[in-house]
Amino acid sequence: MNRFTPLLDQPFWEEHRRKTACSLGGKSLSGSLYKVLDQDLDTLHTLVHPQMLYAEYSINALDEYIHTQAGSIESRMFSRLARGCSPDCSVIFMVATLGRGFDTYSSLIKDLSRQFMVDTAGSVCVEMAADLLQDHLLEQAEQQGKDVGMRFSPGYCDWDLSGQRLIFDALDAGTIGVSLNDYDVMAPSKTISAAVLMATDVPVKVPCRFCERDDCPWRRLPYGKAGSE
Amino acid sequence: MNDMDQQRDVLITLKRSVGAPGADALKEWVDRAMKESIPVHDIRCALIQGVETLRHRLMSSDFGMPDFLLSIDSVLDGLDMLSGMEDAGSMPDTPIVIGVVKGDPHDLGKNIIAGIYRAYGYRVVDLGRDVCSDAFVQGVALNGAKILGISAMMSTTMSAMKDIIRDVKAKYPETKIIVGGAPLNEVLARSYGADAYVESAVSVIEQTMAILDTD
């Protein structure tokens, strides 16, 4: 079990501000809303303290699913990726959370416009934090002469949301204040859980490569793109 | 200029103040309308017309969602100024009960829909989030709701909608049920027994009026 607490410096927060504004419509956002957004971001940047956990598990068996000591990842798409990797492939489970400070702050907001913008800011921030962990995992892998794929989360693609339970238990996510209710919904609200493949050779990093669905809002590969990502 | 012309001009300016820059512009014109003794019903209608103009701009991508919601916020502030000042010809009382299913903490979508309903003059009873089936049934019963809105954002929580709809329809078959949320679609919503599926906040008013008209 490894804990990762990134250093969130000024460039990170400036990038967060830029990405949040872009997600909200960029230049189409009115001047008055920009001011409100800036004030909320100034506050959030003092309240948000991302915490992350990750752990590596070897793969015991690989068929239509990936079977680890922690349990089975019941995704045919992800298993297909793993079967294409070199035999030393392992799975890293990860969880990243912004913590309860974000939820506490957003629960106090009554204006719909601010609720919408702050929620977007939280989503952007937790994704950026997870990206930092992903970069850290890549650094760790490269030190071993290995590569990593992109993160794959329960509730997306063909991995049912119930896969949250596997990751939650594998990492004992309660130690960083993450809980899971009876419906496999995590709290705090801005929390990401995922699995990442690590191996000497990871030729395909996302299952989108094999997916024929033409209307997926979460696709991470341009349609018609061949070759590695 | 006679009084009627003056009142008409105030209402036109009030309508245009919805979505205009300046946080207090709309409230100032509501205040002006009240001082001109314009009927509350007419003031509300002007506000609704202003919101409707912006909704069409939102549909044509001429306006962003954050600014549309800012306009809703200012209209709700304006409506608060009118509360308690009912008069003959006030908006018809069409109670709407709304809530998020049990186990689901995501309520932003529900909050937005509730706010839009209020801006359009509906009376909204918000049950909050993590609401069980019995509470939805009770909410419909206590408020005589003509519309029940149910929201779910997770695939693991949306299945509860089927039971809620069954329980509500068993006791109050005349209540129309609208559902919404990321994991849903039209086919799934109909299979659950819903009367309408709302894909986005932009279309909720039209869809609500459409199912009320089917009575």
Side-chain angles (χ1 to χ4, degrees):
Chain A
M1 187 69 55
N2 302 282
R3 184 174 288 214
F4 177 66
T5 306
L7 176 65
L8 302 184
D9 51 13
Q10 189 67 13
F12 176 90
W13 292 122
E14 285 173 4
E15 180 68 3
H16 175 244
R17 204 176 290 263
R18 187 192 69 77
K19 282 188 172 180
T20 299
C22 190
S23 293
L24 290 168
K27 289 180 182 173
S28 68
L29 211 58
S30 65
S32 52
L33 271 182
Y34 254 114
K35 282 184 192 169
V36 171
L37 175 63
D38 268 345
Q39 286 169 359
D40 276 323
L41 289 180
D42 286 343
T43 305
L44 278 177
H45 291 173
T46 65
L47 293 175
V48 163
H49 303 289
Q51 303 251 359
M52 291 171 248
L53 289 175
Y54 66 94
E56 182 183 359
Y57 284 84
S58 55
I59 296 175
N60 296 338
L62 202 54
D63 45 39
E64 61 175 347
Y65 298 146
I66 302 174
H67 306 280
T68 74
Q69 189 176 5
S72 300
I73 299 174
E74 297 182 1
S75 162
R76 289 183 175 83
M77 296 290 259
F78 203 48
S79 175
R80 186 172 174 181
L81 289 189
R83 291 199 303 275
C85 294
S86 50
D88 62 348
C89 185
S90 60
V91 176
I92 301 173
F93 293 116
M94 56 175 273
V95 66
T97 183
L98 294 190
R100 297 194 184 275
F102 174 86
D103 286 353
T104 302
Y105 182 71
S106 62
S107 70
L108 298 173
I109 297 172
K110 301 302 174 198
D111 291 340
L112 293 174
S113 51
R114 284 180 64 211
Q115 285 184 38
F116 186 82
M117 294 196 296
V118 166
D119 185 77
T120 299
S123 296
V124 170
C125 192
V126 73
E127 290 287 344
M128 287 177 65
D131 286 345
L132 288 179
L133 176 54
Q134 182 102 26
D135 291 343
H136 173 74
L137 294 177
L138 179 59
E139 280 176 24
Q140 300 278 303
E142 285 176 342
Q143 287 173 11
Q144 303 173 50
K146 294 185 178 180
D147 193 8
V148 294
M150 290 182 74
R151 59 180 180 266
F152 191 68
S153 294
Y156 293 88
C157 206
D158 67 341
W159 195 5
D160 190 79
L161 194 61
S162 57
Q164 299 276 41
R165 179 64 55 186
L166 165 65
I167 299 175
F168 185 80
D169 290 343
L171 294 175
D172 193 13
T175 56
I176 56 169
V178 174
S179 61
L180 200 64
N181 72 9
D182 292 340
Y183 300 86
D184 300 320
V185 180
M186 289 187 292
S189 67
K190 299 306 177 187
T191 300
I192 287 176
S193 66
V196 173
L197 297 176
M198 181 172 73
T200 300
D201 189 22
V202 183
V204 180
K205 293 182 170 29
V206 288
C208 308
R209 173 85 180 279
F210 310 119
C211 184
E212 295 178 351
R213 188 177 163 187
D214 61 2
D215 61 347
C216 177
W218 301 286
R219 188 174 174 90
R220 294 187 283 183
L221 202 61
Y223 286 103
K225 184 174 175 65
S228 62
E229 295 71 38
Chain B
M1 180 185 290
N2 61 32
D3 286 347
M4 284 189 66
D5 287 340
Q6 192 153 323
Q7 288 187 353
R8 186 197 62 211
D9 286 348
V10 168
L11 287 174
I12 288 172
T13 308
L14 174 60
K15 175 188 161 184
R16 289 177 182 161
S17 73
V18 178
D24 295 325
L26 184 144
K27 287 167 73 173
E28 285 170 6
W29 280 102
V30 171
D31 186 56
R32 173 84 179 266
M34 290 160 66
K35 285 176 176 156
E36 294 281 343
S37 301
I38 295 174
V40 170
H41 176 264
D42 292 346
I43 299 175
R44 279 210 185 104
C45 283
L47 290 172
I48 290 171
Q49 286 167 12
V51 174
E52 187 65 3
T53 300
L54 292 181
R55 190 177 71 86
H56 283 282
R57 287 181 62 192
L58 184 65
M59 286 165 63
S60 63
S61 302
D62 182 37
F63 206 56
M65 180 58 81
D67 279 290
F68 178 70
L69 294 177
L70 182 64
S71 303
I72 296 291
D73 288 332
S74 62
V75 165
L76 294 178
D77 285 343
L79 289 173
D80 281 345
M81 295 168 68
L82 303 175
S83 63
M85 296 178 60
E86 301 306 323
D87 59 8
S90 289
M91 300 298 291
D93 189 22
T94 311
I96 296 177
V97 170
I98 193 168
V100 180
V101 299
K102 186 165 181 59
D104 202 321
H106 302 94
D107 62 355
L108 177 60
K110 180 268 297 174
N111 291 347
I112 289 172
I113 297 296
I116 290 173
Y117 274 138
R118 289 195 175 103
Y120 274 82
Y122 291 92
R123 182 168 69 87
V124 178
V125 176
D126 188 346
L127 301 178
R129 54 188 182 185
D130 196 21
V131 182
C132 66
S133 181
D134 287 347
F136 276 110
V137 175
Q138 196 173 35
V140 170
L142 289 175
N143 297 284
K146 294 184 182 179
I147 298 277
L148 171 64
I150 313 172
S151 172
M153 284 297 290
M154 314 296 289
S155 58
T156 48
T157 58
M158 71 174 181
S159 53
M161 283 185 175
K162 197 171 183 179
D163 294 337
I164 295 166
I165 294 170
R166 178 201 63 212
D167 292 346
V168 170
K169 289 286 191 183
K171 288 191 172 176
Y172 307 101
E174 70 284 359
T175 296
K176 301 296 184 182
I177 301 181
I178 295 180
V179 298
L184 286 162
N185 54 46
E186 182 76 35
V187 172
L188 205 51
R190 297 290 181 178
S191 75
Y192 285 171
D195 296 289
Y197 160 67
V198 172
E199 189 174 0
S200 83
V202 174
S203 61
V204 64
I205 295 299
E206 279 170 330
Q207 287 176 284
T208 301
M209 291 173 69
I211 59 173
L212 287 174
D213 282 345
T214 57
D215 278 343

